[in-house]
Amino acid sequence: MATFDGLPPLREVIDAHGLVAKKSMGQNFLLDLNLTSKIARMAGDLTACDVLEVGPGPGGLTRGLLGEGARKVLAVEKDLRAMGALADIAARYPGRLDVLNADALDIDPLERLEKPVRVVSNLPYNIGTELLVRWLTPPEWPPYWSSLTLMFQREVAERIVAQPGSKKFGRLAILSQWRSTARIVMELPPEAFTPPPKVHSSVVHIEALPAPRFEADPKVLERIVAAGFNQRRKMLRASLKGISADIEDRLTAAGIKPTDRAEQISIEAWCALAREVARG
Ligand code: SAM
């Protein structure tokens, strides 16, 4: 069957390179090139951007990104077995695909990318949340990336976009929405993947805002949010006791009822509390 880029269909690529999916590597591949092109389009206009892709595997999404016109793609893949398939794609798009055989947790992508950068990945589930938290907590804001378009287990995606008052509202929602906009742009059933995972998946699109919505010291905000949600069933005056001796007064000064629980508090109020705590 002909493909849009003239490269072999992904099933043939997988067979030719012996890329039998490994569970230990979080490998659930997307084999439908229409779908991977659609995910690439969800990231926005790629033509003037470099793209970081974590975990290209046999390269379905990589081909989507290049086909949609990405200026350059840096594809970071831990599995040595995928290098042959990725080299074939690099040869099809001379100078536009840079493949790195490495653990995405160990590299500094900025050394190889020019801004503006968009991150687009069907992430390995075992490191997805860790990578997201790293991308959302850089040393400075705005970060090097302008958007993140990422596939997660649906349950994680729902935590990213959750609103106050929901059981799913927590640290991930606050980190994702304080300095960015976050929305779910696509839902995928298990059958979209080979092999199918046990759970449904969602693509989340996060755009970095030029500045935080509300002022707060990121370190203080992270500390109080971690303490508050660590004991999310407790009232804030109890869960935040370790933050400062007069936490009740500080909660009140921030306009928060000391008897409220972490999940009831808006991002604006969390930031107000971070400013009260930072007063020293
Ligand atoms: N992008 C491909 C697709 O959509 O079909 C594969 C996605 S699969 C869910 C995750 C990929 O991440 C696999 O290719 C796996 O080998 C790779 N991977 C797992 N852990 C990794 C790590 N620490 N660093 C880089 N890649 C990793």
Side-chain angles (χ1 to χ4, degrees), residues 167-179:
K167 290 251 169 299
K168 293 179 176 149
F169 185 70
R171 178 168 173 252
L172 267 192
I174 294 173
L175 288 181
S176 306
Q177 299 172 42
W178 171 43
R179 301 185 282 194

Side-chain angles (χ1 to χ4, degrees), residues 10 22 24-31 36 53-62 76-79 81-82 100 102-105 121-127 131 151 193:
L10 286 155
K22 278 193 194 167
S24 62
M25 291 259 195
Q27 292 180 338
N28 301 99
F29 300 135
L30 290 169
L31 303 188
T36 58
E53 185 192 3
V54 170
L61 183 55
T62 321
V76 184
E77 172 58 60
K78 193 173 168 184
D79 189 347
R81 298 178 309 158
L100 198 57
D103 187 322
L105 294 171
S121 296
N122 174 12
L123 290 173
Y125 288 147
N126 47 347
I127 59 164
L131 281 170
M151 179 91 67
F193 302 84

Side-chain angles (χ1 to χ4, degrees), residues 50-59 61-63 65-66 72-79 82-83 86-87 89-90 96-104 107 109 112-113 120-121:
D50 281 6
V51 175
L52 169 64
E53 185 192 3
V54 170
L61 183 55
T62 321
R63 287 165 66 176
L65 293 165
L66 289 162
K72 179 182 143 180
V73 176
L74 171 62
V76 184
E77 172 58 60
K78 193 173 168 184
D79 189 347
M83 294 303 115
L86 296 169
I89 304 172
R96 288 176 56 203
L97 175 59
D98 195 359
V99 179
L100 198 57
N101 181 207
D103 187 322
I107 58 135
R112 291 159 183 268
L113 293 169
V120 189
S121 296

